[in-house]
């Protein structure tokens, strides 16, 4: 009966505007956080090569095609690169000079239902350049499983285009790690099949890496004995993003792997964008809060006579403000639940879109966004409840 | 609350009015169990006096002591007093037009009447047929009787009646005052009533002049 007296004279249009505002603001803020977390995960995936490394190569020119040579670094050139200020370590990509092919083995091969076989090449880096658990990155002749690091680009390319056109199954990164391959090594009239497994993926190295020990062994056994000059170098620098360094490298005619720069730039832009959007969201939430407060105020004012009379009859102020507080919590948290549903739907939609585009990464959970929304909603409900209580107190005298 | 004591009380709106009554700017002690009639013309502060006792007016100088307790109390205690210790018939009745007469009475905090008792008293006052109608549909006289039943539906040590029969004829007023006296005697309560003119129903009341 109290509710009937105190809340009866409300006009829903104003409330609807406040709810809509709160919904919009909440969705913007929690989805903003989610987008930020999604993109951070997608862009800044932990790479096996830390950010202090740069990979450089030489431009391939028409002369290389005609002469049949690959552009490579000579000893003196490597020395020159070593002397560029800001560079403290140089390693060269050592390549295998034997024929190799790879095919799926075990369960995966049965599942795929058809032979998956491809020609392969391998490269190796000096020890200490690959940021991976050393126990996961060792090979000896008696330990037959060869760990491989694959460029994530290759997996993306395979999943997004190749698999579809060739009617091959799409394979997520996580699954690839649990798959074993048969690697066929051919050369010098000998053939050997070893087992291979994928130890990790790298965004930064466009190559297929194996431990140096394995490459040395295979080159020795199956190779033609010639030592190839490296076509790419890996450099370690404390400040790889320094413009002076990249100018110096470009002047020498080398090509840098720009992936790191691009992604950090993108991250920066994204951060600014999401900050701006979030500020807008906070503003909208703030306006919605004012809307709720005003609506409560209005309802209380419309029931000013009822509030005063009920207080005079012996009702406590607490009892009289309770219907307003309940009403506030129900509307604010109803709005909150709607925004959570919106977030959940958007995230689901986004992740299935990613899958359709060939991305295989797991997106971060939505729990932090749900938590943030909860905190904001709680604040909104508490502040407008407090305002309602004060209003009732004022009117009850 | 065996006594209500006024000590040098002066409502702020009456500051510039010449005063010679028994209440303002003097000492007045009211005893529980007795009946008082406050008589004065309009504008001398009859309702103000009741509102000061009830705690709904605070714009006054001086102190009101109720059973050794000063009037400055919290909201919870105020609610206790209004639900169990002081009944009040407001001059403007303060019923809710959108609720039925019965709902209005049942809504009263501290109401000790069962529905059957309410029907009994309504029958006594001739408004039994109005109990289930919205108050907005009742005449002023009927509304006043409903408000009276509501005022005595709680337990009280004091009953404040602000022009209680202003909308009633003498016959109905007599029935009403009998009901009021019945309840007050049972609860050993004091009555403070105000009246403008005809006070033939307030026979044995101590007169207080404002």
């Amino acid at each position: 009966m109290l509710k009937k007296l105190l809340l009866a004279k409300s006009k829903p249009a104003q409330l609807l505007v406040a709810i809509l505002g709160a919904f919009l603001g909440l969705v913007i803020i929690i989805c903003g956080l989610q987008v930020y977390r999604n993109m951070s995960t997608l862009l800044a995936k932990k790479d096996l090569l830390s950010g202090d490394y740069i990979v450089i190569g030489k431009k391939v020119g028409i002369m290389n095609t005609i002469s049949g040579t690959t552009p490579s670094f000579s000893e003196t050139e490597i020395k020159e690169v070593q002397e560029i200020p800001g560079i403290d370590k140089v390693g060269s990509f050592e390549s295998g000079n034997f024929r190799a092919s790879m095919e799926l083995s075990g369960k995966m091969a049965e599942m795929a239902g058809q032979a998956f076989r491809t020609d392969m090449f391998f490269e190796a880096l000096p020890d200490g350049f690959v940021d991976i658990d050393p126990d996961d990155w060792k090979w000896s002749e008696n330990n037959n499983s060869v760990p491989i690091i694959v460029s994530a680009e290759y997996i993306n390319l395979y999943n997004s285009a190749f698999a579809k056109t060739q009617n091959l199954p799409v394979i997520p990164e996580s699954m690839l790690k649990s798959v074993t391959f048969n690697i066929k090594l051919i050369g010098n009239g000998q053939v050997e099949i070893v087992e291979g497994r994928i130890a990790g993926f790298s965004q930064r190295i466009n190559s297929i890496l194996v431990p140096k020990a394995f490459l040395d062994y295979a080159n020795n056994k199956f190779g033609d004995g010639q030592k190839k000059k490296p076509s790419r170098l890996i450099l370690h620098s404390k400040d790889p993003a320094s413009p002076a360094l990249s100018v110096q490298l470009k002047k020498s005619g080398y090509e840098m792997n720009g992936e790191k720069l691009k992604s950090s730039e993108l991250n920066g832009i994204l951060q600014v964008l999401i900050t701006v959007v979030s500020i807008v969201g906070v503003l909208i939430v703030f306006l919605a809060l004012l809307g709720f407060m005003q609506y409560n105020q209005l309802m209380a004012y419309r029931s000013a006579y009822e509030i005063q009379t009920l207080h005079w009859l012996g009702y406590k102020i607490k009892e009289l403000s309770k219907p307003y507080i309940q009403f506030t919590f129900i509307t604010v948290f109803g709005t909150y639940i709607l925004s959570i549903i919106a977030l959940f739907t958007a995230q689901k939609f986004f992740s299935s879109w990613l899958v359709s585009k060939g991305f295989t990464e797991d997106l971060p959970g939505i729990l932090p966004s749900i938590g943030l929304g909860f905190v904001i909603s709680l604040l909104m409900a508490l502040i407008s409840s407090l305002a309602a209580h004060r209003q009732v107190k004022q009117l009850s005298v | 609350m065996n006594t209500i004591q006024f000590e040098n009380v002066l409502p702020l709106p009456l500051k510039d009015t010449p005063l010679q009554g028994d209440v303002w700017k003097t000492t007045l002690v009211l005893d529980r169990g007795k009946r008082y009639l406050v008589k004065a013309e309009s504008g001398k502060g009859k309702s103000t006096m009741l509102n000061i006792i009830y705690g709904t007016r605070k714009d006054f100088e001086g102190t009101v002591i109720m059973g050794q307790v000063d009037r400055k109390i919290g909201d919870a205690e105020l609610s206790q007093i209004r639900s169990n210790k002081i009944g009040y018939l407001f001059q403007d009745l303060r019923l809710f037009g959108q609720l039925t007469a019965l709902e209005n009475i049942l809504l009263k905090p501290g109401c000790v009447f069962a529905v059957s008792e309410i029907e009994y008293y309504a029958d006594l006052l001739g408004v039994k047929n109005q109990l289930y109608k919205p108050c907005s549909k009742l005449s002023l006289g009927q509304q006043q009787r409903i408000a009276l039943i509501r005022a005595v539906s709680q337990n009280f040590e004091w009953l404040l009646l602000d022009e209680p029969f202003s909308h009633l004829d003498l016959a109905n007023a007599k029935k009403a005052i009998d009901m009021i006296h019945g309840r007050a005697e049972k609860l050993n309560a004091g009555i403070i009533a105000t009246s403008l003119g005809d006070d033939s129903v307030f026979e044995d009341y101590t007169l207080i002049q404002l």
Side-chain angles (χ1 to χ4, degrees):
Chain A
M1 220 153 17
L2 272 192
K3 267 187 200 159
K4 192 172 150 193
L5 283 174
L6 295 174
L7 303 179
K9 297 169 183 170
S10 44
K11 282 197 176 152
Q14 284 148 315
L15 179 67
L16 221 66
V17 171
I19 287 177
L20 209 72
F23 174 71
L24 215 70
L26 270 176
V27 165
I28 287 177
I29 292 175
I30 64 177
C31 287
L33 176 69
Q34 195 58 43
V35 168
Y36 178 71
R37 279 164 42 80
N38 285 351
M39 293 322 268
S40 304
T41 307
L42 291 179
L43 288 176
K45 263 195 347 175
K46 194 188 172 305
D47 206 280
L48 294 176
L49 217 56
S50 78
D52 299 342
Y53 291 98
I54 312 165
V55 175
I56 63 169
K58 278 184 163 179
K59 275 202 176 86
V60 178
I62 188 89
M63 279 308 288
N64 299 123
T65 318
I66 296 167
S67 64
T69 58
T70 49
S72 57
F73 290 88
S74 66
E75 297 273 337
T76 41
E77 281 172 325
I78 294 174
K79 260 205 183 117
E80 271 170 29
V81 170
Q82 224 150 11
E83 267 146 32
I84 292 174
I87 287 176
D88 46 45
K89 225 159 77 178
V90 175
S92 43
F93 280 78
E94 210 173 299
S95 45
N97 43 19
F98 51 86
R99 279 179 57 205
S101 67
M102 204 158 112
E103 61 185 39
L104 278 176
S105 68
K107 257 203 185 119
M108 270 303 288
E110 286 165 32
M111 259 169 66
Q114 64 192 93
F116 174 80
R117 207 199 69 84
T118 177
D119 284 333
M120 260 300 137
F121 69 94
F122 295 112
E123 288 187 300
L125 282 174
D127 291 335
F129 276 89
V130 178
D131 184 19
I132 191 170
D133 182 6
D135 281 338
D136 223 19
W137 193 244
K138 63 181 178 199
W139 182 87
S140 62
E141 265 185 76
N142 6 346
N143 174 8
N144 246 3
S145 175
V146 183
I148 304 169
I149 294 176
V150 185
S151 164
E153 291 294 313
Y154 294 174
I155 306 300
N156 285 345
L157 190 66
Y158 168 81
N159 277 333
S160 60
F162 189 72
K164 259 181 213 162
T165 56
Q166 303 296 310
N167 267 338
L168 290 167
V170 175
I171 312 166
E173 281 184 10
S174 53
M175 195 188 260
L176 268 177
K177 276 193 177 178
S178 57
V179 167
T180 53
F181 299 92
N182 287 331
I183 300 172
K184 204 181 209 180
L185 305 165
I186 306 160
N188 295 337
Q190 300 180 74
V191 175
E192 184 177 334
I193 289 174
V194 292
E195 191 186 273
R197 65 184 168 82
I198 291 182
F201 303 93
S202 172
Q203 301 275 3
R204 234 162 256 135
I205 315 169
N206 273 323
S207 185
I208 297 168
L209 296 181
V210 289
K212 193 164 167 7
F214 173 73
L215 196 81
D216 287 345
Y217 159 82
N219 269 346
N220 221 347
K221 198 165 174 187
F222 308 101
D224 51 16
Q226 286 176 7
K227 197 162 167 66
K228 280 186 183 164
K229 283 183 200 161
S231 61
R232 284 188 293 178
L233 299 181
I234 183 163
L235 316 177
H236 182 266
S237 168
K238 288 209 170 64
D239 184 15
S242 112
L245 185 62
S246 67
V247 165
Q248 179 66 45
L249 287 170
K250 267 186 196 143
K251 221 163 72 183
S252 312
Y254 302 139
E255 273 193 329
M256 282 171 76
N257 186 342
E259 185 269 335
K260 186 200 170 302
L261 285 171
K262 262 187 263 162
S263 107
S264 71
E265 245 168 59
L266 207 63
N267 227 338
I269 293 169
L270 199 74
Q271 229 161 37
V272 171
L273 212 71
I274 284 170
T275 307
V276 169
V277 168
S278 296
I279 288 171
V280 172
V282 167
L283 269 175
I284 295 177
V285 162
F286 185 71
L287 287 176
L289 171 64
L290 290 184
F292 279 126
M293 285 168 73
Q294 209 184 28
Y295 186 74
N296 267 334
Q297 222 166 27
L298 216 73
M299 270 204 300
Y301 265 124
R302 287 208 176 103
S303 303
Y305 169 82
E306 281 81 0
I307 289 172
Q308 193 189 44
T309 302
L310 289 167
H311 190 239
W312 283 14
L313 287 176
Y315 282 96
K316 290 182 205 122
I317 292 169
K318 248 195 281 179
E319 294 172 286
L320 298 177
S321 60
K322 201 173 149 194
Y324 296 101
I325 292 171
Q326 275 177 347
F327 178 79
T328 303
F329 268 83
I330 289 169
T331 42
V332 169
F333 277 89
T335 311
Y336 167 66
I337 287 168
L338 285 183
S339 71
I340 293 301
I341 292 171
L343 169 75
F344 185 77
T345 314
Q347 181 76 347
K348 223 174 159 181
F349 190 76
F350 181 61
S351 91
S352 62
W353 179 80
L354 276 183
V355 169
S356 79
K357 291 288 166 199
F359 286 87
T360 50
E361 288 87 353
D362 286 328
L363 289 175
I366 60 175
L367 220 60
S369 306
I370 290 177
L372 179 72
F374 182 79
V375 170
I376 293 172
S377 305
L378 193 66
L379 274 175
M380 269 207 283
L382 283 179
I383 292 172
S384 46
S385 292
L386 202 72
H389 182 75
R390 287 179 61 169
Q391 187 68 48
V392 168
K393 194 173 172 180
Q394 215 175 43
L395 289 171
S396 65
V397 179
Chain B
M1 286 197 290
N2 288 324
T3 57
I4 296 176
Q5 189 176 343
F6 277 59
E7 282 289 349
N8 269 321
V9 174
L10 177 65
L12 299 182
L14 292 180
K15 238 178 166 175
D16 302 321
T17 326
L19 299 162
Q20 54 225 342
D22 306 326
V23 182
W24 308 134
K25 270 289 175 197
T26 180
T27 301
L28 171 73
V29 182
L30 306 171
D31 294 313
R32 181 176 172 182
K34 290 188 179 171
R35 298 166 186 169
Y36 300 92
L37 178 67
V38 183
K39 265 200 85 163
E41 314 130 39
S42 305
K44 283 289 180 94
K46 292 189 300 288
S47 296
T48 306
M49 182 187 170
L50 298 187
N51 283 335
I52 286 172
I53 294 171
Y54 200 59
T56 44
R57 273 194 89 142
K58 296 192 171 80
D59 53 339
F60 63 91
E61 292 171 352
T63 29
V64 179
I65 302 163
M66 306 178 76
Q68 327 307 321
V69 186
D70 202 304
R71 289 282 359 225
K72 279 180 186 123
I73 51 168
D75 190 52
E77 203 183 330
L78 195 63
S79 149
Q80 271 304 308
I81 289 175
R82 289 172 182 177
S83 315
N84 304 313
K85 298 199 166 156
I86 306 179
Y88 194 176
L89 175 83
F90 303 101
Q91 194 181 58
D92 56 354
L93 307 181
R94 295 218 161 229
L95 295 166
F96 298 109
Q98 64 269 50
L99 302 182
T100 66
L102 183 67
E103 282 174 330
N104 265 287
I105 296 165
L106 291 174
L107 194 66
K108 176 74 182 86
C111 173
V112 292
F113 282 0
V115 175
S116 59
E117 281 173 285
I118 294 170
E119 281 174 340
Y120 167 76
Y121 284 109
D123 195 26
L124 220 60
L125 301 190
V127 286
K128 194 182 174 187
N129 290 336
Q130 320 302 326
L131 275 180
Y132 295 92
K133 291 180 191 165
C135 269
S136 56
K137 297 276 187 283
L138 270 50
S139 76
L140 269 176
Q142 291 166 333
Q143 286 187 29
Q144 195 159 38
R145 281 172 273 177
I146 296 298
L148 269 169
I149 298 172
R150 182 178 69 181
V152 300
S153 71
Q154 67 177 88
N155 288 330
F156 53 88
E157 297 169 4
W158 291 89
L159 185 62
L160 312 179
L161 304 169
D162 201 352
E163 299 183 18
F165 313 125
S166 54
H167 300 293
L168 299 182
D169 55 59
L170 196 60
N172 273 311
K174 281 209 165 107
K175 287 182 197 162
I177 199 117
D178 285 344
M179 174 192 81
I180 291 165
H181 287 163
R183 279 289 287 165
E185 273 160 28
K186 196 178 158 203
L187 298 167
N188 185 30
I191 298 174
I192 306 170
T194 71
S195 171
L196 268 174
D198 181 21
D199 23 276
S200 52
V201 288
F202 303 108
E203 275 170 349
D204 49 350
Y205 280 62
T206 308
L207 208 65
I208 297 174
Q209 205 74 45
L210 269 180

